[in-house]
Amino acid sequence: FNPIPTVLYALSKKGGKISGDKFFFPLITAPLTAGFGGSVGLLSPTILSASAASSTFGDLFHLNRKTRQLLIACAASGVIATSFQSPIAAVVFAIEIFSLDLTFASLLPLLIASLVSVITSFFFVGGEVLFKVTLSESFRVNDTPLYLALGLVAGLVSVYFHKVHFGITGFFQRIQSKGRRLLIGGLFIGVTLFAIPPLYGEGFSVINNLLVSNHDAVIEGSLMAPWASNPWMVIVLLLGITLFKSVVMTTTIAAGGTGGIIIPALVMGSSLGNAVAKLINQLGLTHQVSEANFTLVGMAAILAGVLQAPLTAIFLIAEITGGYALFIPLMLSVSMAYLITKNSIEHTIYTKELAEGT
């Protein structure tokens, strides 16, 4: 199952009360799902687990509904801040995704939760970060149309993401037997991973390799590996990762696995951005563009389109890169992707279940 809708349902329909088993359940099932090859993220299950702990804490001290909801938002903010070392994006995430009725004074607990989480993480992992990024090229004004084009494509891919998710989920819901769901999903995932190994698990290695232009490591082991020296074949594989990541991710969840969509969306964005940059450079219609910059902006654009959280996407990549050198291209691509998705779908993956009352 997808954990974030569970949190949203608890916030809107149950006064922020989440059952205690949701603390242990995601911590066990999500790593097992990803470990056996499920193409899902572990960030959302962690958010659910932290939110369940906060809800239990709220019950223990008999906190009112509004305080319990804020406590859950603080937990989610802390998880995002710890994972990406991005306290500002974490606060924005809690506000955009949970849509809580917060006062200005409520921002202070969110900020404190994010900062404490980041500082605490240093005691356990030191300076280790998920994404190692060093910007070597800055934004150039004549790149503006190219980033708008990337945002346009990212918006279309985000709409595709939603359509695929709803379609595959509906297909598996019509299968009554859990055993048949698992069998069908497992067979499909196995065949797809054999053809495109980079779809295995979360996909952090794909992102990090693309950020340093090491596409050889990404293509290694796939059926296209013999043609790794052909840039057009690399582009085809990257587009394959972009399109099939959402298919395998949704199949994993719909067949009975546990996981989230945040990391898969970032993987899709990195593949799309890198493929677009390679395509531009191969066509030679303009100057050579930075593959790393397009990879990062692609991540933000897809994240904004899928989550419908543009500010979270912008600040997340800005903090990952350690500054605001890409702020303008981030705003260009993210705005385009967000507007296209916003006007093309009625409900996001997170809000559809809530709208249906499930």
Side-chain angles (χ1 to χ4, degrees):
F1 74 105
N2 193 345
I4 297 298
T6 302
V7 180
L8 292 177
Y9 185 81
L11 288 171
S12 62
K13 304 293 185 181
K14 302 173 66 176
K17 291 190 176 184
I18 304 175
S19 59
D21 65 307
K22 295 297 189 298
F23 173 74
F24 300 100
F25 183 71
L27 295 180
I28 298 172
T29 57
L32 286 174
T33 300
F36 279 100
S39 196
V40 293
L42 299 181
L43 191 59
S44 296
T46 308
I47 291 174
L48 174 57
S49 178
S51 298
S54 297
S55 177
T56 302
F57 184 85
D59 288 337
L60 183 64
F61 288 92
H62 306 290
L63 301 179
N64 59 41
R65 173 179 176 176
K66 194 173 185 64
T67 305
R68 186 187 293 109
Q69 290 177 331
L70 178 58
L71 199 62
I72 291 174
C74 287
S77 181
V79 170
I80 296 293
T82 302
S83 301
F84 298 106
Q85 305 292 301
S86 54
I88 297 177
V91 172
V92 177
F93 173 88
I95 295 173
E96 282 192 308
I97 298 299
F98 293 158
S99 302
L100 299 179
D101 183 20
L102 300 176
T103 62
F104 187 76
S106 300
L107 291 176
L108 185 58
L110 289 173
L111 284 170
I112 293 174
S114 296
L115 290 173
V116 170
S117 298
V118 170
I119 293 172
T120 303
S121 70
F122 278 110
F123 289 102
F124 293 95
V125 297
E128 288 293 321
V129 292
L130 291 178
F131 306 124
K132 300 177 177 62
V133 182
T134 301
L135 293 180
S136 57
E137 298 182 43
S138 58
F139 169 69
R140 291 178 290 191
V141 176
N142 53 353
D143 286 342
T144 298
L146 302 178
Y147 282 111
L148 285 173
L150 175 58
L152 172 63
V153 177
L156 296 176
V157 171
S158 298
V159 174
Y160 160 83
F161 189 110
H162 283 86
K163 299 295 185 182
V164 164
H165 183 85
F166 297 147
I168 294 178
T169 300
F171 168 77
F172 276 94
Q173 285 176 343
R174 291 191 291 272
I175 302 175
Q176 299 299 320
S177 171
K178 292 184 179 180
R180 287 186 61 192
R181 290 184 190 178
L182 186 61
L183 178 61
I184 295 173
L187 287 173
F188 176 79
I189 293 170
V191 171
T192 308
L193 293 182
F194 175 77
I196 314 177
L199 296 177
Y200 185 97
E202 288 190 278
F204 285 121
S205 61
V206 173
I207 298 175
N208 283 315
N209 283 320
L210 291 178
L211 287 174
V212 294
S213 300
N214 185 14
H215 64 260
D216 288 339
V218 176
I219 203 171
E220 183 181 5
S222 71
L223 297 180
M224 293 184 178
W227 298 277
S229 59
N230 186 329
W232 294 104
M233 296 303 290
V234 175
I235 292 173
V236 170
L237 177 65
L238 292 175
L239 292 177
I241 294 174
T242 302
L243 296 177
F244 279 94
K245 184 68 176 179
S246 59
V247 176
V248 180
M249 179 213 72
T250 304
T251 301
T252 301
I253 296 174
T258 300
I261 68 174
I262 297 175
I263 302 302
L266 291 175
V267 173
M268 289 176 63
S270 67
S271 301
L272 177 65
N274 199 272
V276 169
K278 280 182 166 59
L279 181 62
I280 293 171
N281 291 336
Q282 285 300 311
L283 292 175
L285 300 178
T286 180
H287 58 277
Q288 296 287 295
V289 299
S290 169
E291 293 184 5
N293 289 1
F294 269 71
T295 300
L296 289 163
V297 175
M299 291 166 62
I302 293 293
L303 190 67
V306 169
L307 301 188
Q308 292 291 279
L311 293 179
T312 297
I314 291 173
F315 282 105
L316 178 63
I317 301 302
E319 289 187 283
I320 286 175
T321 57
Y324 297 94
L326 293 180
F327 215 63
I328 293 176
L330 283 171
M331 289 191 289
L332 290 170
S333 295
V334 164
S335 299
M336 178 66 73
Y338 174 75
L339 289 174
I340 290 174
T341 314
K342 184 71 173 178
N343 290 283
S344 301
I345 59 172
E346 184 177 2
H347 299 294
T348 69
I349 293 172
Y350 285 165
T351 60
K352 185 176 177 62
E353 294 182 26
L354 185 63
E356 293 176 347
T358 58

